[in-house]
Amino acid sequence: MINRWRPFMSASDTALIVIDVQESFRHRPYFSEADVPAFLAKQQALIDGAKAAGIPIVQIFHVEDSGPFAESSGLVRPLEPLAITPDAVFRKRRHSALVGSGLDVWLTRNGIRRLIVSGIRTEQCCETTTRHASDLGYAVDYVGEATLTFAMTDAAGRSWSASEIRARTELVLAGRFARIATVEEALAQLSQTIAA
């Protein structure tokens, strides 16, 4: 499917990036509903706040050739019950939303220099996109509470909870690749940027 995007006129140089918040994940064996309600509440608040501030909202979908991430699965659609009307939609096949999706072109054409990163999964596509964006020169707000991930077991057999993984991701990104922000802090920054 072709990416849908268009130039966006904004008083700000900021865009909200919503990464891989899609039904595909509900069909992975590791998926757990435990943290989904809290995540969706924060993600929705971020989307609604960006929309109210006139900030472009960019939706990213991960796609693969087969399985629940294939376009033909019918699952490459927003995770229910998220309500989102994006200004641009891109599809990616790599962990970074900036690789091969066309997102980088859209950001440049629209004068975007600051990204607010949210979505699924915390330590994979959200973290990778944040690192990549920072290395490309973007200022990044990483809104960890508006990201979702799932428990994992490492090679030594230790089980890591979703909250531990989120804490680790925030630790390694903070001050190096991004400003770690709450939904409220990210939205407050939007207001300050527009007022300036």
Side-chain angles (χ1 to χ4, degrees):
M1 183 175 279
I2 296 173
N3 291 333
R4 175 177 69 85
W5 58 276
R6 57 182 168 75
F8 186 92
M9 298 304 293
S10 172
S12 170
D13 65 351
T14 301
L16 170 61
I17 312 296
V18 180
I19 300 173
D20 302 350
V21 183
Q22 61 195 78
E23 281 294 319
S24 309
F25 280 104
R26 282 202 162 104
H27 299 267
R28 288 294 202 206
Y30 52 75
F31 185 83
S32 167
E33 289 282 350
D35 296 327
V36 172
F39 158 69
L40 285 175
K42 294 295 186 179
Q43 182 71 85
Q44 192 67 64
L46 195 55
I47 290 167
D48 294 346
K51 183 173 183 176
I55 300 303
I57 299 166
V58 180
Q59 187 169 27
I60 309 295
F61 288 114
H62 188 80
V63 295
E64 297 175 357
D65 292 333
S66 61
F69 287 85
E71 296 276 9
S72 60
S73 71
L75 300 170
V76 181
R77 55 188 169 83
L79 188 71
E80 295 177 359
L82 189 73
I84 182 170
T85 306
D87 297 288
V89 176
F90 297 94
R91 284 159 170 76
K92 66 178 181 60
R93 291 180 171 269
R94 299 289 183 261
H95 289 101
S96 173
L98 290 158
V99 174
S101 66
L103 173 60
D104 55 337
V105 175
W106 187 90
L107 294 172
T108 299
R109 286 184 177 173
N110 287 281
I112 303 298
R113 297 307 309 151
R114 177 173 170 262
L115 306 181
I116 301 172
V117 173
S118 62
I120 305 175
R121 295 177 62 178
T122 303
E123 79 292 350
Q124 290 190 29
C125 297
C126 296
E127 180 177 334
T128 303
T129 298
T130 296
R131 289 173 179 267
H132 191 172
S134 175
D135 281 352
L136 289 175
Y138 291 94
V140 183
D141 270 5
Y142 184 87
V143 186
E145 64 183 5
T147 70
L148 178 69
T149 196
F150 312 99
M152 299 172 69
T153 301
D154 66 22
R158 178 188 167 186
S159 179
W160 294 73
S161 69
S163 60
E164 288 174 321
I165 294 168
R166 188 177 117 191
R168 172 257 168 219
T169 293
E170 292 179 359
L171 170 68
V172 298
L173 292 179
R176 298 179 181 94
F177 300 96
R179 178 181 83 126
I180 306 304
T182 64
V183 170
E184 291 74 18
E185 288 166 345
L187 294 177
Q189 182 69 31
L190 291 181
S191 299
Q192 293 169 8
T193 301
I194 292 169

